[in-house]
Amino acid sequence: MTSSTSPVLKFGLRLLAGPAGAVLVMAATFVAAALIFFAINGREALSLFHEMVMGAFGDGYSFSETLVKTAPILLTALAVALPARLGLISVGGEGQLYLGALFGTGAVLAAVEQPGWLLMPLMLTGAMAGGALWGVIPGLLKTRLGVNETISTLLLNYVGVLLVSFVVHGPWKNPNSLGWPATIEFPEGAILPQFFDTRVHMGLIFGVVAAIVLHILVTRSRWGLGLQVSRSNPRVGTTAGISYERNVLIVMAVGGLLAGLAGIAEASVIQNRLQDGLASGYGMTGFLVAWLAGQNFLRIIPLSVLMGGLLASADSLQLYAQLPKASADILQALLFITVLAVSSLWARRRAA
Amino acid sequence: MESFITELLTLLFAALRSATPVLAVVLGESMTQRSGVINLGVEGQMLLGAMTGFAVASITGDPWLGVLAACAAGIALSMVHAVLVLGCGANQIASGVAVLILGGGLSAYYGIPFVGDKIDTLGNLNHTFVSDIPLLGQFLGPITPTVLITLLAIPVISVFLFRTRTGLRWRSTGESLDITRNLGHNPAPYQLAAIAFGGLMSGFAGAALAVDYTANWVEGMTAGRGLVAVGLVIVARWNPWYALPAALLFGASEALNLKLQSWGVDISPYLLATLPYLIPLSVLILSYRGLRASGGGMPAGLKVVFQSAR
C-alpha cells in the first residue's frame, strides 16, 4: 500500500478488518459452501439458495423466526466468548442452557401460585443459578485440580440433557399430559414478554444488552484489563493482585448464567413447558459463532442473526424442499471449516 | 457364591463388549496425541464410520465390507482435521469441533434411508471350539470379532510405539517439533499419519458399534462415546496398555446401568444413564492429581494445546 491510497479505500479496508468485514467474509464463504453442498446433492443450487435467503429474511414472519433462533445462539455464543477472554475453551453452552431451563422451571413449579411480578424474577434467578452452576463446576475443576475445561464441559453437556429428561419423565411430569413427557404448561406470569405479535422474546434483548455490557467491561474496565493480564501471564497478574482462579470462576459463572437464560427462554416462550429436545444444538452453534466472531462480543451480534437465519431457513426448507434438518449442521460445519482455514492462513501470512 | 462369580463375570464380559468402541477410539486418539495433535472430531468420525459401515453392510449384505468402509470414512473425515491443523495452522480444539459437527451432520443426512434396516452381523465365538471350554465358554462365546481385533491392536500399537525406530520418532514428534526437526526428521508425515490412524480407529469404532454391537443405525447413536474416549486418553496416560482398563471403566458403567435397570432398581433410567459420563469424569478428575505432579506421561507438545490458557 503506498501513501497515495485514497482515503475512501483506506476507510473501506478498515471497515473490512472490523465487524463488517467478518460478516462479509462469513456471508461469502457461506454462499459458496451452500451452493457446493446443494450442487453435490443434485439440487437446483441457485433456486434452493434463493429459497433459503427468503426463508430467513424474506418477509416479516421469516425474519421474526430468524430472530427467535438468534436469541439462544447469541447467549450461548457469549457463554463461550467470555471464558475465551481468559484463554479458556468452554464447550459447555448446551449443558448450561439445559441446566438453566431445569432450575428456572423448578422455580416456576415451586412458585406456580404466585403472581407474575414475583414468579418472573424467581424463574429468571433460578435459570441464571442453574446455568452458572454448570459453568462453575468445570471452573472449579480447572482451578483446583487443573482438569482441562474443554473435556469437562463436553461431558457435562450430556449429563445436563439427561437431568432434564429425568425430571420430565419422572417427578415433574404433567399427570394430565396423556403420557407425553413434559411438565405442566407455564402459567401466564412465567411467559417472557414477546414483541410485535411474534415469538421474538426478551431473550434477544438480554443477549444484545449482555453483549454490549460485556464489551464495555472487557475493553474499558479495570477488571477487563485484569483478564488480559491474567491471560497472558497469570503470575504477573497474581503479583498485581489479580487472582487468575477467581477470574476463571467469574467468567465461567457469568457465561453459564447467560446460557441459562437462553434455556429458560426456550422453555417459557417457545415450548411453554419443559420437555425433551429443548434446544438441541444451540450450544454447539453458539460455540461456532463465538469462534467466527473471533471471540469479539459485538461481532457476535450480527453473526448470531446470520446463523439464526440459517437455522430458520433450514426449518422452512425442510417443509418446502424436503431437505433434511441435518443439512443445517452440514452447512454450519462447512462454514466453520472455511472460516477457520481462511483466518488461520491469514494470521500465518501476517506473522511471516 | 458361585452365582455371584457368574454374575460378576457376566458383567465383566458385558463391560468388555460395550467398552470396545470406546477402547478403539482411546487407542487411536492416544496415537494421535502422541504426535502432539489432539482431535475432538473423533466423535464425528465415529458417527460417520457407524453410518457408512451400516449402510455398506446393508447394501452389499457383507458386514465385513461395512467395517472396511467405516475405516475409510473415518480416515477421510480425519483428513479435514489434518488440512485445517497441519495445512492451515488452525486451532486444534476449534478444528476438532468443526469435524465433530460435520460428521454428525453428514451421518444424519446420508443415514436417513438406512434407519430401521436389518443387517447380517459379524457373528461371535459361539459354536466354535471356544464355547466348549469348560466354565469360561459361556462368557467367551458372545465375544465378537471387533472385540478381538481391538484387543489385538493393543500389543501391536505398543510394540510399534516403544520398540521401533518409527515409533520413537512418532513419540519425539509429540514431545518437541523443534528437536525432531533438528534431528533431521520432518514431523509433518508423522502427524499426518497420526491423525489418519486416529481416523481409522474411530471409523472402526463406529463400525464396532453400529455393525457389530447393536446392528443398528440411529442418528447420533455414539452419544458422546468419542468425547468420553478423549477424556479417557488422559486417564490411560497415553499408554495403549492402560487404555484397556480406562475403556473398561466406560464399559462397566454402561453395563452397570443396564444391569441395574434389568434388576428393576428404583432409580430413573435417565439418572442411571449419566453414569457412563460421570464415572469417567470422576476418574479423570482423580487422575489429574497425579498428572499435575509429574506430567503423567503427557506428550510435551500437547501441553501447548492443553495449556494455551495460561
Side-chain angles (χ1 to χ4, degrees), chain A residues 41 86-87 89 141 144-148 151 155 158 162 165-166 169 231 244 287-288 291 324 326 329-330 333 336-337 344 348, chain B residues 84 87-91 93-94 97-98 101-102 105 108-110 112 224 227-228 234 268 270-271 273 285 288 292 306 309:
Chain A
N41 286 287
L86 210 49
I89 304 181
L141 291 178
R144 291 290 158 87
L145 298 162
V147 176
N148 178 269
I151 291 167
L155 293 184
Y158 291 93
L162 283 166
S165 291
F166 160 60
H169 285 266
R231 176 187 187 166
Y244 175 79
F287 179 85
L288 211 137
W291 274 83
D329 287 341
I330 299 177
F336 193 21
I337 288 167
S344 310
R348 197 182 254 193
Chain B
L84 280 176
C88 307
N91 179 289
I93 303 281
V97 172
I101 301 175
L102 184 64
Y109 188 97
Y110 292 106
I112 292 170
L227 298 171
V228 169
I234 299 167
S268 159
Y270 298 97
L271 282 187
I285 291 166
Y288 251 96
R292 235 190 180 182
F306 268 99

Short mmCIF file of all heavy atoms in Angstrom, two decimals, chain A residues 41 86-87 89 141 144-148 151 155 158 162 165-166 169 231 244 287-288 291 324 326 329-330 333 336-337 344 348, chain B residues 84 87-91 93-94 97-98 101-102 105 108-110 112 224 227-228 234 268 270-271 273 285 288 292 306 309:
data_model
loop_
_atom_site.label_atom_id
_atom_site.label_comp_id
_atom_site.label_asym_id
_atom_site.label_seq_id
_atom_site.Cartn_x
_atom_site.Cartn_y
_atom_site.Cartn_z
N ASN A 41 -25.45 -32.60 -4.07
CA ASN A 41 -26.59 -33.46 -3.81
C ASN A 41 -27.65 -33.37 -4.90
O ASN A 41 -28.80 -33.73 -4.69
CB ASN A 41 -27.20 -33.13 -2.44
CG ASN A 41 -26.32 -33.64 -1.33
OD1 ASN A 41 -26.26 -34.84 -1.09
ND2 ASN A 41 -25.59 -32.74 -0.70
N LEU A 86 -10.15 -15.32 28.86
CA LEU A 86 -9.14 -15.77 29.81
C LEU A 86 -8.36 -16.95 29.22
O LEU A 86 -7.58 -17.60 29.91
CB LEU A 86 -9.84 -16.18 31.11
CG LEU A 86 -9.07 -16.02 32.42
CD1 LEU A 86 -8.46 -14.65 32.54
CD2 LEU A 86 -10.01 -16.28 33.59
N GLY A 87 -8.61 -17.21 27.93
CA GLY A 87 -7.93 -18.31 27.28
C GLY A 87 -8.57 -19.66 27.51
O GLY A 87 -8.01 -20.69 27.16
N ILE A 89 -11.25 -22.63 26.82
CA ILE A 89 -12.10 -23.10 25.72
C ILE A 89 -13.23 -23.91 26.32
O ILE A 89 -13.10 -25.09 26.59
CB ILE A 89 -11.29 -23.94 24.72
CG1 ILE A 89 -10.10 -23.12 24.20
CG2 ILE A 89 -12.18 -24.37 23.56
CD1 ILE A 89 -9.25 -23.83 23.19
N LEU A 141 -13.08 -27.32 38.80
CA LEU A 141 -12.21 -28.44 38.43
C LEU A 141 -10.93 -27.91 37.81
O LEU A 141 -9.85 -28.45 38.03
CB LEU A 141 -12.93 -29.37 37.45
CG LEU A 141 -14.10 -30.16 38.01
CD1 LEU A 141 -14.76 -31.00 36.94
CD2 LEU A 141 -13.63 -31.04 39.16
N ARG A 144 -8.93 -25.86 40.84
CA ARG A 144 -8.47 -26.66 41.97
C ARG A 144 -7.58 -27.81 41.54
O ARG A 144 -6.61 -28.15 42.21
CB ARG A 144 -9.68 -27.23 42.74
CG ARG A 144 -10.47 -26.20 43.48
CD ARG A 144 -9.67 -25.66 44.66
NE ARG A 144 -10.13 -24.37 45.08
CZ ARG A 144 -11.13 -24.17 45.96
NH1 ARG A 144 -11.72 -25.21 46.49
NH2 ARG A 144 -11.49 -22.96 46.28
N LEU A 145 -7.93 -28.46 40.40
CA LEU A 145 -7.22 -29.69 40.04
C LEU A 145 -6.54 -29.61 38.69
O LEU A 145 -5.82 -30.52 38.29
CB LEU A 145 -8.20 -30.87 40.06
CG LEU A 145 -8.84 -31.15 41.42
CD1 LEU A 145 -10.08 -32.00 41.27
CD2 LEU A 145 -7.84 -31.83 42.34
N GLY A 146 -6.80 -28.53 37.96
CA GLY A 146 -6.18 -28.41 36.64
C GLY A 146 -6.84 -29.23 35.56
O GLY A 146 -6.27 -29.45 34.50
N VAL A 147 -8.08 -29.74 35.82
CA VAL A 147 -8.76 -30.54 34.81
C VAL A 147 -9.09 -29.67 33.60
O VAL A 147 -9.64 -28.59 33.74
CB VAL A 147 -10.07 -31.15 35.38
CG1 VAL A 147 -10.82 -31.92 34.30
CG2 VAL A 147 -9.76 -32.06 36.56
N ASN A 148 -8.75 -30.16 32.42
CA ASN A 148 -8.98 -29.42 31.19
C ASN A 148 -10.47 -29.10 31.03
O ASN A 148 -11.32 -29.99 31.06
CB ASN A 148 -8.49 -30.25 30.01
CG ASN A 148 -8.75 -29.56 28.70
OD1 ASN A 148 -9.78 -29.76 28.09
ND2 ASN A 148 -7.83 -28.72 28.28
N ILE A 151 -12.77 -30.72 28.05
CA ILE A 151 -13.28 -32.08 28.22
C ILE A 151 -14.38 -32.12 29.28
O ILE A 151 -15.43 -32.74 29.08
CB ILE A 151 -12.13 -33.03 28.58
CG1 ILE A 151 -11.21 -33.18 27.35
CG2 ILE A 151 -12.65 -34.38 29.00
CD1 ILE A 151 -9.90 -33.83 27.63
N LEU A 155 -18.38 -33.27 28.59
CA LEU A 155 -19.03 -34.40 29.26
C LEU A 155 -20.25 -33.93 30.06
O LEU A 155 -21.28 -34.60 30.10
CB LEU A 155 -18.04 -35.14 30.16
CG LEU A 155 -16.92 -35.87 29.43
CD1 LEU A 155 -16.04 -36.64 30.41
CD2 LEU A 155 -17.47 -36.81 28.39
N TYR A 158 -23.77 -33.75 28.30
CA TYR A 158 -24.62 -34.94 28.23
C TYR A 158 -25.38 -35.13 29.54
O TYR A 158 -26.55 -35.51 29.56
CB TYR A 158 -23.78 -36.17 27.91
CG TYR A 158 -23.24 -36.14 26.50
CD1 TYR A 158 -21.99 -35.62 26.22
CD2 TYR A 158 -24.01 -36.60 25.43
CE1 TYR A 158 -21.49 -35.57 24.92
CE2 TYR A 158 -23.54 -36.55 24.14
CZ TYR A 158 -22.28 -36.03 23.89
OH TYR A 158 -21.81 -35.97 22.60
N LEU A 162 -29.52 -35.20 30.18
CA LEU A 162 -30.15 -36.34 30.85
C LEU A 162 -30.90 -35.92 32.10
O LEU A 162 -31.95 -36.49 32.43
CB LEU A 162 -29.09 -37.40 31.19
CG LEU A 162 -28.62 -38.24 30.01
CD1 LEU A 162 -27.36 -39.01 30.35
CD2 LEU A 162 -29.73 -39.21 29.58
N SER A 165 -34.21 -34.78 31.01
CA SER A 165 -35.03 -35.95 30.67
C SER A 165 -35.56 -36.61 31.95
O SER A 165 -36.72 -37.01 32.01
CB SER A 165 -34.20 -36.98 29.89
OG SER A 165 -33.90 -36.49 28.63
N PHE A 166 -34.68 -36.70 32.94
CA PHE A 166 -35.09 -37.33 34.20
C PHE A 166 -36.31 -36.64 34.81
O PHE A 166 -37.31 -37.29 35.13
CB PHE A 166 -33.92 -37.33 35.18
CG PHE A 166 -34.32 -37.51 36.62
CD1 PHE A 166 -34.99 -38.65 37.03
CD2 PHE A 166 -34.04 -36.52 37.57
CE1 PHE A 166 -35.37 -38.82 38.34
CE2 PHE A 166 -34.42 -36.69 38.88
CZ PHE A 166 -35.10 -37.84 39.27
N HIS A 169 -39.57 -36.95 32.57
CA HIS A 169 -40.14 -38.30 32.52
C HIS A 169 -40.58 -38.75 33.91
O HIS A 169 -41.33 -39.71 34.04
CB HIS A 169 -39.12 -39.31 31.98
CG HIS A 169 -38.91 -39.20 30.50
ND1 HIS A 169 -39.60 -39.97 29.60
CD2 HIS A 169 -38.11 -38.40 29.77
CE1 HIS A 169 -39.21 -39.66 28.37
NE2 HIS A 169 -38.32 -38.70 28.45
N ARG A 231 -4.55 -13.59 31.40
CA ARG A 231 -4.48 -14.50 30.28
C ARG A 231 -3.04 -14.64 29.78
O ARG A 231 -2.56 -15.73 29.54
CB ARG A 231 -5.36 -14.00 29.15
CG ARG A 231 -5.24 -14.87 27.94
CD ARG A 231 -5.97 -14.31 26.76
NE ARG A 231 -5.93 -15.30 25.71
CZ ARG A 231 -6.66 -15.28 24.63
NH1 ARG A 231 -7.53 -14.31 24.47
NH2 ARG A 231 -6.56 -16.20 23.72
N TYR A 244 -6.09 -15.22 39.15
CA TYR A 244 -6.49 -15.99 37.98
C TYR A 244 -7.64 -16.92 38.34
O TYR A 244 -8.64 -17.01 37.63
CB TYR A 244 -5.29 -16.79 37.46
CG TYR A 244 -5.60 -17.71 36.31
CD1 TYR A 244 -5.71 -17.23 35.02
CD2 TYR A 244 -5.77 -19.08 36.52
CE1 TYR A 244 -5.99 -18.07 33.96
CE2 TYR A 244 -6.05 -19.93 35.46
CZ TYR A 244 -6.16 -19.42 34.19
OH TYR A 244 -6.45 -20.27 33.14
N PHE A 287 -20.98 -21.99 20.08
CA PHE A 287 -19.53 -22.16 20.09
C PHE A 287 -18.94 -21.69 18.77
O PHE A 287 -17.95 -20.95 18.71
CB PHE A 287 -19.19 -23.63 20.32
CG PHE A 287 -17.71 -23.92 20.33
CD1 PHE A 287 -16.97 -23.78 21.49
CD2 PHE A 287 -17.06 -24.34 19.18
CE1 PHE A 287 -15.60 -24.03 21.50
CE2 PHE A 287 -15.70 -24.59 19.18
CZ PHE A 287 -14.97 -24.44 20.34
N LEU A 288 -19.61 -22.14 17.70
CA LEU A 288 -19.17 -21.81 16.35
C LEU A 288 -19.22 -20.31 16.09
O LEU A 288 -18.27 -19.73 15.57
CB LEU A 288 -20.16 -22.54 15.46
CG LEU A 288 -19.81 -23.07 14.14
CD1 LEU A 288 -20.42 -24.44 14.00
CD2 LEU A 288 -20.43 -22.13 13.18
N TRP A 291 -16.45 -18.40 17.75
CA TRP A 291 -15.17 -18.51 17.03
C TRP A 291 -15.17 -17.70 15.75
O TRP A 291 -14.19 -17.07 15.41
CB TRP A 291 -14.84 -19.97 16.74
CG TRP A 291 -14.15 -20.59 17.90
CD1 TRP A 291 -14.74 -21.12 19.01
CD2 TRP A 291 -12.75 -20.70 18.11
NE1 TRP A 291 -13.79 -21.56 19.88
CE2 TRP A 291 -12.56 -21.32 19.36
CE3 TRP A 291 -11.62 -20.34 17.37
CZ2 TRP A 291 -11.30 -21.58 19.88
CZ3 TRP A 291 -10.37 -20.61 17.89
CH2 TRP A 291 -10.21 -21.23 19.13
N PRO A 324 -33.40 -32.54 4.46
CA PRO A 324 -33.33 -32.98 5.86
C PRO A 324 -32.73 -31.89 6.77
O PRO A 324 -31.93 -31.08 6.35
CB PRO A 324 -32.40 -34.18 5.80
CG PRO A 324 -32.47 -34.65 4.40
CD PRO A 324 -32.73 -33.44 3.55
N ALA A 326 -30.63 -32.11 8.99
CA ALA A 326 -29.18 -32.22 9.20
C ALA A 326 -28.40 -31.34 8.25
O ALA A 326 -27.23 -31.05 8.50
CB ALA A 326 -28.74 -33.68 9.04
N ASP A 329 -26.72 -28.53 9.93
CA ASP A 329 -25.46 -28.87 10.61
C ASP A 329 -24.32 -28.90 9.62
O ASP A 329 -23.23 -28.40 9.89
CB ASP A 329 -25.57 -30.25 11.27
CG ASP A 329 -26.45 -30.22 12.50
OD1 ASP A 329 -26.66 -29.11 13.03
OD2 ASP A 329 -26.92 -31.28 12.93
N ILE A 330 -24.57 -29.51 8.45
CA ILE A 330 -23.51 -29.64 7.46
C ILE A 330 -23.08 -28.26 6.98
O ILE A 330 -21.89 -27.96 6.90
CB ILE A 330 -23.98 -30.51 6.27
CG1 ILE A 330 -24.33 -31.91 6.77
CG2 ILE A 330 -22.91 -30.57 5.19
CD1 ILE A 330 -24.88 -32.83 5.71
N ALA A 333 -21.03 -26.54 9.60
CA ALA A 333 -19.69 -27.10 9.69
C ALA A 333 -18.84 -26.62 8.52
O ALA A 333 -17.68 -26.23 8.70
CB ALA A 333 -19.75 -28.63 9.72
N PHE A 336 -17.82 -23.12 9.15
CA PHE A 336 -16.83 -23.04 10.21
C PHE A 336 -15.45 -23.43 9.66
O PHE A 336 -14.45 -22.77 9.91
CB PHE A 336 -17.25 -23.96 11.35
CG PHE A 336 -16.48 -23.75 12.63
CD1 PHE A 336 -15.81 -22.58 12.89
CD2 PHE A 336 -16.46 -24.75 13.59
CE1 PHE A 336 -15.12 -22.40 14.08
CE2 PHE A 336 -15.79 -24.59 14.78
CZ PHE A 336 -15.11 -23.41 15.02
N ILE A 337 -15.44 -24.52 8.88
CA ILE A 337 -14.18 -25.02 8.34
C ILE A 337 -13.56 -23.98 7.41
O ILE A 337 -12.36 -23.68 7.51
CB ILE A 337 -14.42 -26.35 7.58
CG1 ILE A 337 -14.71 -27.46 8.59
CG2 ILE A 337 -13.22 -26.71 6.71
CD1 ILE A 337 -15.27 -28.72 7.99
N SER A 344 -6.90 -18.73 9.72
CA SER A 344 -5.62 -19.24 10.17
C SER A 344 -4.53 -18.94 9.15
O SER A 344 -3.42 -18.54 9.52
CB SER A 344 -5.69 -20.75 10.41
OG SER A 344 -6.78 -21.07 11.20
N ARG A 348 -1.24 -16.60 9.68
CA ARG A 348 0.08 -17.15 9.42
C ARG A 348 0.84 -16.24 8.45
O ARG A 348 2.02 -15.99 8.61
CB ARG A 348 -0.09 -18.53 8.82
CG ARG A 348 1.16 -19.38 8.87
CD ARG A 348 0.92 -20.70 8.22
NE ARG A 348 0.81 -21.77 9.20
CZ ARG A 348 0.85 -23.07 8.86
NH1 ARG A 348 0.92 -23.42 7.60
NH2 ARG A 348 0.78 -23.99 9.78
N LEU B 84 -6.85 -28.66 8.20
CA LEU B 84 -7.03 -27.45 9.00
C LEU B 84 -5.86 -27.23 9.95
O LEU B 84 -5.33 -26.13 10.06
CB LEU B 84 -8.33 -27.53 9.80
CG LEU B 84 -9.61 -27.22 9.03
CD1 LEU B 84 -10.83 -27.43 9.90
CD2 LEU B 84 -9.58 -25.78 8.53
N GLY B 87 -2.19 -28.06 7.67
CA GLY B 87 -2.08 -27.23 6.48
C GLY B 87 -2.27 -25.75 6.76
O GLY B 87 -1.54 -24.92 6.25
N CYS B 88 -3.28 -25.44 7.57
CA CYS B 88 -3.62 -24.02 7.78
C CYS B 88 -3.14 -23.51 9.13
O CYS B 88 -3.17 -22.30 9.37
CB CYS B 88 -5.12 -23.80 7.67
SG CYS B 88 -5.83 -24.45 6.16
N GLY B 89 -2.75 -24.40 10.03
CA GLY B 89 -2.35 -23.96 11.36
C GLY B 89 -3.51 -23.47 12.20
O GLY B 89 -3.35 -22.58 13.04
N ALA B 90 -4.69 -24.07 12.01
CA ALA B 90 -5.86 -23.66 12.78
C ALA B 90 -5.79 -24.21 14.20
O ALA B 90 -5.06 -25.17 14.47
CB ALA B 90 -7.13 -24.15 12.11
N ASN B 91 -6.53 -23.59 15.11
CA ASN B 91 -6.62 -24.08 16.49
C ASN B 91 -7.16 -25.50 16.50
O ASN B 91 -8.17 -25.81 15.87
CB ASN B 91 -7.52 -23.15 17.29
CG ASN B 91 -7.67 -23.61 18.73
OD1 ASN B 91 -8.33 -24.62 19.00
ND2 ASN B 91 -7.07 -22.89 19.65
N ILE B 93 -8.53 -27.39 18.89
CA ILE B 93 -9.82 -27.64 19.53
C ILE B 93 -10.95 -27.20 18.60
O ILE B 93 -11.91 -27.93 18.37
CB ILE B 93 -9.91 -26.87 20.87
CG1 ILE B 93 -8.78 -27.27 21.81
CG2 ILE B 93 -11.27 -27.10 21.51
CD1 ILE B 93 -8.95 -28.55 22.53
N ALA B 94 -10.82 -25.99 18.04
CA ALA B 94 -11.87 -25.47 17.15
C ALA B 94 -12.03 -26.37 15.94
O ALA B 94 -13.15 -26.71 15.54
CB ALA B 94 -11.53 -24.05 16.73
N VAL B 97 -13.91 -29.46 16.83
CA VAL B 97 -15.36 -29.25 16.96
C VAL B 97 -15.99 -29.14 15.57
O VAL B 97 -17.09 -29.66 15.34
CB VAL B 97 -15.66 -28.00 17.80
CG1 VAL B 97 -17.14 -27.66 17.77
CG2 VAL B 97 -15.22 -28.21 19.24
N ALA B 98 -15.29 -28.52 14.62
CA ALA B 98 -15.81 -28.42 13.25
C ALA B 98 -16.01 -29.82 12.67
O ALA B 98 -17.06 -30.13 12.08
CB ALA B 98 -14.86 -27.61 12.38
N ILE B 101 -19.03 -31.54 14.28
CA ILE B 101 -20.34 -31.11 13.75
C ILE B 101 -20.53 -31.65 12.34
O ILE B 101 -21.62 -32.14 11.99
CB ILE B 101 -20.45 -29.57 13.75
CG1 ILE B 101 -20.28 -29.02 15.17
CG2 ILE B 101 -21.78 -29.12 13.18
CD1 ILE B 101 -20.27 -27.51 15.24
N LEU B 102 -19.46 -31.62 11.53
CA LEU B 102 -19.58 -32.10 10.15
C LEU B 102 -19.93 -33.58 10.12
O LEU B 102 -20.83 -34.01 9.39
CB LEU B 102 -18.26 -31.85 9.40
CG LEU B 102 -18.27 -32.22 7.92
CD1 LEU B 102 -19.25 -31.34 7.15
CD2 LEU B 102 -16.88 -32.08 7.30
N GLY B 105 -23.51 -34.10 11.14
CA GLY B 105 -24.43 -33.66 10.10
C GLY B 105 -24.45 -34.63 8.92
O GLY B 105 -25.52 -35.05 8.47
N ALA B 108 -26.13 -37.94 9.79
CA ALA B 108 -27.58 -37.81 9.93
C ALA B 108 -28.23 -37.66 8.56
O ALA B 108 -29.28 -38.24 8.26
CB ALA B 108 -27.92 -36.62 10.82
N TYR B 109 -27.59 -36.86 7.68
CA TYR B 109 -28.15 -36.56 6.36
C TYR B 109 -28.20 -37.80 5.48
O TYR B 109 -29.24 -38.15 4.92
CB TYR B 109 -27.29 -35.48 5.70
CG TYR B 109 -27.85 -34.92 4.41
CD1 TYR B 109 -28.57 -33.73 4.42
CD2 TYR B 109 -27.64 -35.56 3.20
CE1 TYR B 109 -29.08 -33.20 3.24
CE2 TYR B 109 -28.15 -35.04 2.02
CZ TYR B 109 -28.87 -33.86 2.04
OH TYR B 109 -29.37 -33.35 0.89
N TYR B 110 -27.06 -38.47 5.35
CA TYR B 110 -27.00 -39.61 4.43
C TYR B 110 -27.47 -40.91 5.06
O TYR B 110 -27.62 -41.92 4.38
CB TYR B 110 -25.58 -39.75 3.88
CG TYR B 110 -25.20 -38.60 2.98
CD1 TYR B 110 -24.31 -37.61 3.41
CD2 TYR B 110 -25.76 -38.47 1.72
CE1 TYR B 110 -23.98 -36.54 2.60
CE2 TYR B 110 -25.45 -37.39 0.91
CZ TYR B 110 -24.56 -36.43 1.35
OH TYR B 110 -24.26 -35.37 0.55
N ILE B 112 -30.36 -41.31 6.67
CA ILE B 112 -31.82 -41.40 6.77
C ILE B 112 -32.40 -42.65 6.08
O ILE B 112 -33.20 -43.36 6.69
CB ILE B 112 -32.47 -40.11 6.20
CG1 ILE B 112 -32.15 -38.94 7.12
CG2 ILE B 112 -33.98 -40.27 6.07
CD1 ILE B 112 -32.53 -37.59 6.56
N GLY B 224 -21.70 -39.37 22.53
CA GLY B 224 -20.60 -38.85 23.32
C GLY B 224 -19.49 -39.85 23.62
O GLY B 224 -18.54 -39.52 24.32
N LEU B 227 -16.13 -38.50 22.75
CA LEU B 227 -15.64 -37.44 23.65
C LEU B 227 -15.21 -38.04 24.99
O LEU B 227 -14.21 -37.61 25.57
CB LEU B 227 -16.73 -36.40 23.85
CG LEU B 227 -17.12 -35.70 22.55
CD1 LEU B 227 -18.35 -34.83 22.73
CD2 LEU B 227 -15.97 -34.86 22.05
N VAL B 228 -15.97 -39.05 25.47
CA VAL B 228 -15.55 -39.75 26.68
C VAL B 228 -14.15 -40.34 26.45
O VAL B 228 -13.27 -40.24 27.31
CB VAL B 228 -16.55 -40.87 27.04
CG1 VAL B 228 -15.99 -41.78 28.13
CG2 VAL B 228 -17.88 -40.28 27.49
N ILE B 234 -6.42 -39.36 28.73
CA ILE B 234 -5.63 -38.78 29.82
C ILE B 234 -5.52 -39.76 30.97
O ILE B 234 -4.46 -39.95 31.56
CB ILE B 234 -6.26 -37.45 30.27
CG1 ILE B 234 -6.29 -36.48 29.10
CG2 ILE B 234 -5.52 -36.87 31.46
CD1 ILE B 234 -7.15 -35.27 29.33
N SER B 268 -34.42 -43.77 38.25
CA SER B 268 -34.79 -43.43 36.88
C SER B 268 -33.70 -43.84 35.90
O SER B 268 -32.52 -43.61 36.14
CB SER B 268 -35.01 -41.92 36.78
OG SER B 268 -34.90 -41.51 35.44
N TYR B 270 -32.92 -42.45 33.32
CA TYR B 270 -32.22 -41.26 32.82
C TYR B 270 -31.10 -40.87 33.78
O TYR B 270 -30.05 -40.42 33.36
CB TYR B 270 -33.21 -40.11 32.64
CG TYR B 270 -34.24 -40.45 31.60
CD1 TYR B 270 -35.48 -40.95 31.97
CD2 TYR B 270 -33.95 -40.34 30.25
CE1 TYR B 270 -36.42 -41.31 31.02
CE2 TYR B 270 -34.87 -40.69 29.29
CZ TYR B 270 -36.10 -41.18 29.68
OH TYR B 270 -37.00 -41.54 28.74
N LEU B 271 -31.33 -41.06 35.07
CA LEU B 271 -30.26 -40.79 36.03
C LEU B 271 -29.15 -41.82 35.90
O LEU B 271 -27.97 -41.49 35.91
CB LEU B 271 -30.81 -40.80 37.46
CG LEU B 271 -31.57 -39.56 37.90
CD1 LEU B 271 -31.90 -39.65 39.38
CD2 LEU B 271 -30.78 -38.30 37.62
N ALA B 273 -28.36 -43.34 33.29
CA ALA B 273 -27.65 -43.10 32.03
C ALA B 273 -26.57 -42.04 32.17
O ALA B 273 -25.74 -41.89 31.27
CB ALA B 273 -28.63 -42.71 30.94
N ILE B 285 -10.90 -36.76 36.95
CA ILE B 285 -10.59 -35.77 37.98
C ILE B 285 -9.54 -36.33 38.94
O ILE B 285 -8.56 -35.65 39.27
CB ILE B 285 -11.87 -35.38 38.74
CG1 ILE B 285 -12.80 -34.60 37.81
CG2 ILE B 285 -11.55 -34.57 39.98
CD1 ILE B 285 -14.21 -34.46 38.33
N TYR B 288 -6.07 -36.55 37.45
CA TYR B 288 -5.41 -35.27 37.23
C TYR B 288 -4.45 -34.92 38.36
O TYR B 288 -3.51 -34.16 38.17
CB TYR B 288 -6.43 -34.15 37.07
CG TYR B 288 -6.51 -33.65 35.65
CD1 TYR B 288 -7.47 -34.13 34.79
CD2 TYR B 288 -5.61 -32.72 35.16
CE1 TYR B 288 -7.55 -33.71 33.48
CE2 TYR B 288 -5.66 -32.29 33.87
CZ TYR B 288 -6.64 -32.78 33.03
OH TYR B 288 -6.69 -32.35 31.74
N ARG B 292 -0.75 -33.60 37.51
CA ARG B 292 -0.26 -32.28 37.86
C ARG B 292 1.15 -32.34 38.41
O ARG B 292 2.01 -31.52 38.11
CB ARG B 292 -1.17 -31.67 38.92
CG ARG B 292 -1.66 -30.33 38.45
CD ARG B 292 -2.36 -29.60 39.53
NE ARG B 292 -2.79 -28.32 38.98
CZ ARG B 292 -3.40 -27.41 39.67
NH1 ARG B 292 -3.67 -27.62 40.94
NH2 ARG B 292 -3.77 -26.29 39.12
N PHE B 306 -3.08 -27.90 25.53
CA PHE B 306 -3.90 -28.00 26.72
C PHE B 306 -3.81 -26.77 27.60
O PHE B 306 -4.73 -26.41 28.29
CB PHE B 306 -3.50 -29.23 27.55
CG PHE B 306 -4.27 -30.44 27.20
CD1 PHE B 306 -3.74 -31.40 26.36
CD2 PHE B 306 -5.54 -30.62 27.69
CE1 PHE B 306 -4.47 -32.52 26.03
CE2 PHE B 306 -6.27 -31.74 27.36
CZ PHE B 306 -5.74 -32.69 26.53
N ALA B 309 -4.29 -21.74 27.68
CA ALA B 309 -4.94 -20.78 28.55
C ALA B 309 -3.93 -19.96 29.35
O ALA B 309 -4.15 -18.79 29.61
CB ALA B 309 -5.86 -21.50 29.51
#
